[in-house]
Amino acid sequence: MIRLYCQTPDGVERTTQVDAEGLDLDTIFWIDLFTPTDEDVQFVEKLCGIEIPTYDEIREIEATSRLYTEDGARFMTTTVLSRADTESPILSEISFILTKNLVITIRRTDSYSFRVFSHQLLRSSKISRDQAFIGLLETIVDRQADVLEKFGAELDRISKNIFRRDEHDLAARKKSHASHALKATLQDLGRVGDLLSRQRDCLVNLLRLLTYASNEIAQGEDGATLYSKLRPVNRDVTSLSEYANFLSSNVNFMLDAVLGLINIEQNETVKIFTVASVIFMPATLIASIYGMNFTNMPGLQSDYGYYISLGLMLITIILPLAYFRSRRLL
């Protein structure tokens, strides 16, 4: 699908009509290619006189394949985290092409940032290529900031579950299966950590794109570049990158804490079995002695030998049990 954004006397208009004869290229400042077909790509190539990169070329990870200049146009590709509000977030590639008079975007995901910026754009009276490009980047950065804020709130919730000290919650935790709760917490941390690593990669790609785009000559200004106009966006992305690093360190800290709690729980289980084996060891020794098949054994012929051995075993169980209870080992 092709969306053409044109500047008219009445304001900004959007159209999907691709009649080349009726189009005035001078009025177009943004061409949005959303899951383009071969016909759409050929139309834009003929209209702008450039070669549109294929989807496989867009997905390449080399810096020279994502940031380059060709046919008088500047080609830039970045990745963004899409569908962050769903259960299956994905990384999607977005390509920006800056020509002399317009900006071209290529994407295969229905991005929330594009929908928001498109609605804002249609309410504008006058806009240029540079304003559309910078405004779109600002909207993308704002969306990525919202995603990071969501991750931060999720980590706060997980942190409270890990380190809570409320007596009622502790009692409920002891009654419930703590291992299941810790396993669920570990899964949540792993999911957030994985999304954070993807988000950090997106921010790095955005910084590279902004640095490369800063060398583009600003429209309508002789010799001036987009560096000064992109500085606020660059600062925002840098601050988001620092915040993402902070959240990643929190994830690592909480992962260590959860693993420590799991080890403590396992040690508690092992301790119970160890104390139980010590408690029953004297009784087992007595039973083993009187279970030997010798003719001359003390008390073997006594009418009370069986009850005496049971009493001894009971005493040897009660005494260690009372000792361990006094030491709060049980």
Side-chain angles (χ1 to χ4, degrees):
M1 177 185 293
I2 298 180
R3 295 187 178 97
L4 303 176
Y5 293 82
C6 307
Q7 180 68 61
T8 67
D10 298 328
V12 176
E13 290 185 359
R14 179 179 63 190
T15 180
T16 57
Q17 301 298 325
V18 291
D19 185 6
E21 295 181 357
L23 285 177
D24 185 3
L25 187 60
D26 294 334
T27 63
I28 301 174
F29 61 87
W30 179 21
I31 300 177
D32 183 25
L33 294 175
F34 175 48
T35 59
T37 62
D38 293 338
E39 292 77 10
D40 296 337
V41 172
Q42 292 173 3
F43 170 80
V44 175
E45 288 180 343
K46 182 178 179 181
L47 184 67
C48 303
I50 59 175
E51 182 179 353
I52 301 296
T54 63
Y55 182 62
D56 290 335
E57 293 173 342
I58 290 175
R59 297 192 63 185
E60 292 182 356
I61 62 175
E62 300 93 342
T64 54
S65 299
R66 291 197 168 192
L67 304 170
Y68 62 94
T69 301
E70 187 177 88
D71 297 330
R74 193 175 295 268
F75 295 76
M76 298 164 288
T77 301
T78 185
T79 54
V80 295
L81 189 62
S82 302
R83 302 176 186 175
D85 296 330
T86 66
E87 293 296 328
S88 55
I90 60 172
L91 283 179
S92 59
E93 292 80 11
I94 300 177
S95 288
F96 298 87
I97 304 175
L98 288 180
T99 66
K100 183 178 180 180
N101 298 319
L102 55 85
V103 56
I104 305 171
T105 55
I106 309 170
R107 57 194 175 96
R108 289 183 175 269
T109 305
D110 187 14
S111 175
Y112 175 81
S113 303
F114 277 75
R115 295 199 302 270
V116 171
F117 182 70
S118 177
H119 291 312
Q120 294 175 352
L121 200 60
L122 294 177
R123 295 194 296 266
S124 303
S125 58
K126 186 177 181 181
I127 195 167
S128 64
R129 179 207 68 170
D130 295 346
Q131 292 173 333
F133 175 63
I134 296 173
L136 184 56
L137 287 177
E138 288 176 344
T139 307
I140 292 175
V141 172
D142 288 341
R143 178 57 179 168
Q144 301 306 303
D146 294 338
V147 172
L148 281 179
E149 290 175 1
K150 177 185 176 182
F151 292 160
E154 181 72 10
L155 288 179
D156 287 339
R157 181 190 64 81
I158 296 174
S159 177
K160 291 178 181 178
N161 290 335
I162 296 174
F163 302 109
R164 62 186 177 187
R165 294 184 57 87
D166 185 78
E167 295 297 332
H168 176 73
D169 291 338
L170 289 175
R173 181 186 294 183
K174 290 181 179 179
K175 293 180 181 179
S176 63
H177 297 287
S179 59
H180 293 170
L182 290 174
K183 180 180 179 181
T185 301
L186 198 60
Q187 290 174 337
D188 290 340
L189 280 174
R191 178 180 58 83
V192 175
D194 176 62
L195 294 177
L196 270 176
S197 64
R198 298 185 186 185
Q199 184 71 342
R200 291 171 65 187
D201 180 63
C202 293
L203 293 174
V204 170
N205 289 328
L206 272 174
L207 280 175
R208 292 173 180 170
L209 184 147
L210 290 170
T211 302
Y212 191 75
S214 298
N215 298 320
E216 175 69 15
I217 302 300
Q219 190 177 26
E221 298 183 18
D222 296 334
T225 64
L226 293 177
Y227 174 76
S228 59
K229 296 181 179 180
L230 288 175
R231 283 181 61 187
V233 186
N234 202 318
R235 286 197 300 266
D236 289 341
V237 176
T238 301
S239 64
L240 290 181
S241 182
E242 294 173 354
Y243 183 61
N245 292 334
F246 168 73
L247 293 180
S248 296
S249 64
N250 280 350
V251 169
N252 294 330
F253 168 70
M254 283 187 277
L255 280 174
D256 293 338
V258 171
L259 292 176
L261 291 174
I262 292 175
N263 289 331
I264 290 174
E265 184 184 359
Q266 292 176 344
N267 292 338
E268 288 289 334
T269 304
V270 173
K271 184 181 72 175
I272 291 174
F273 284 104
T274 302
V275 172
S277 64
V278 173
I279 290 174
F280 289 100
M281 186 179 298
T284 304
L285 178 62
I286 294 173
S288 300
I289 291 174
Y290 281 94
M292 293 186 294
N293 297 321
F294 292 109
T295 302
N296 297 320
M297 292 185 66
L300 184 62
Q301 304 299 327
S302 173
D303 295 337
Y304 303 100
Y306 173 71
Y307 301 102
I308 293 173
S309 62
L310 288 179
L312 288 174
M313 286 189 286
L314 185 60
I315 291 172
T316 56
I317 291 174
I318 293 175
L319 290 178
L321 183 61
Y323 173 79
F324 286 124
R325 291 297 297 269
S326 67
R327 295 289 184 176
R328 296 184 179 181
L329 297 176
L330 284 177

